[in-house]
Amino acid sequence: MIFNTFGNKKNKAILLIHTLFTSADFFSPIIDLLAKNYFVITPTLTGHHEDTVYISTSDEIHQIKEFLIANSITSLYAVAGFSLGGNIAYEFFCQNSEITEKAIIDSAPLFRFPELIKNHYLKSYTKCLQKIKSGKYDIAKELDKHFNGMGKYQKDIAPTVSFESLNNLVESCFNTKIYKLPERERKKITFIYGNEDIARLCNVRLKGCNVHKMKGYGHCGYYREAPIEWAKRFVLA
């Protein structure tokens, strides 16, 4: 995991966790805005940069906590994550809600699928990765077929991800439990789903939670189309 930071370390901290097959650069459009008044932490997940293998959600959280301890950061104003990063952010918040003021979980596939379904996605994503590593296909177009318009954001990172990492990434994407949090902690979490995003189907698992249903948007769609508005509405509000 590679950590990038922006802003004054004396300010309250915001942790941002990117999607599958992207990097910390996913947050470039909002860094300047957030860093005016906050210390912004944007890790690039393990397996999403050279010579690393992604292991698990818990391993990523362990690395994040080690970074916070090493930098004497004892609390967070917010943790936000998208898709896979949303799963990790959700798990992190549920384990560390006492030190986190709020969580924004966008387009996270908060499912716990049986092995049959996970294997289906693994085979599908493996074929996609094989094609884009071959150099014979338009990388962004191939990724769009599987990731709901995310191809242009993923095209530079996806070819560097190993098949070993992919196997573990699928586990993180499709094996997330829902925590039974006290109401006070549940109120700290905002879930965001576009009504054209297949990940919205996990909403049935989020009864009693604060869920924003974004009409006309796909996977991470509101952020992709209006990142500054997204940040002002969900992080800074």
Side-chain angles (χ1 to χ4, degrees), residues 110-111 178 199-208 211 213:
L110 298 170
F111 298 107
I178 298 297
R200 76 189 187 283
L201 298 177
C202 72
N203 284 346
V204 295
R205 304 186 75 200
L206 302 175
K207 292 179 180 179
V211 180
K213 300 177 181 179

Side-chain angles (χ1 to χ4, degrees), residues 11-14 68 72-78 98-101:
N11 291 334
K12 289 184 176 182
I14 293 174
L68 297 178
S72 302
I73 299 169
T74 58
S75 65
L76 294 173
Y77 169 68
E98 73 282 357
I99 66 164
T100 310
E101 291 185 40

Side-chain angles (χ1 to χ4, degrees), residues 17-20 45-46 48 54-61 82-91 107-113 115 118 121-122 125 164-177 205:
I17 307 177
H18 64 81
T19 74
L20 178 69
L45 298 172
T46 313
H48 290 71
Y54 182 93
I55 302 300
S56 65
T57 296
S58 60
D59 185 65
E60 298 303 288
I61 291 173
F82 290 81
S83 193
L84 164 70
N87 284 13
I88 296 170
Y90 174 73
E91 185 84 22
S107 305
L110 298 170
F111 298 107
R112 203 158 213 181
F113 280 122
E115 290 299 318
K118 284 191 290 185
Y121 278 104
L122 179 59
Y125 294 167
E164 183 180 357
S165 286
L166 181 63
N167 185 74
N168 297 329
L169 285 162
V170 168
E171 184 70 17
S172 284
C173 282
F174 301 111
N175 190 29
T176 301
K177 72 176 183 179
R205 304 186 75 200

Side-chain angles (χ1 to χ4, degrees), residues 17 27 33 63 74 78 81 85 115 136 148 156 166 173 177 187-188 198 207 215 217-218 225 234:
I17 307 177
F27 297 107
L33 173 66
Q63 292 183 65
T74 58
E115 290 299 318
K136 299 178 181 180
N148 201 205
D156 294 326
L166 181 63
C173 282
K177 72 176 183 179
K187 287 182 177 179
K188 293 182 179 182
I198 193 170
K207 292 179 180 179
K215 187 175 181 180
Y217 291 101
E225 294 190 24
F234 296 113

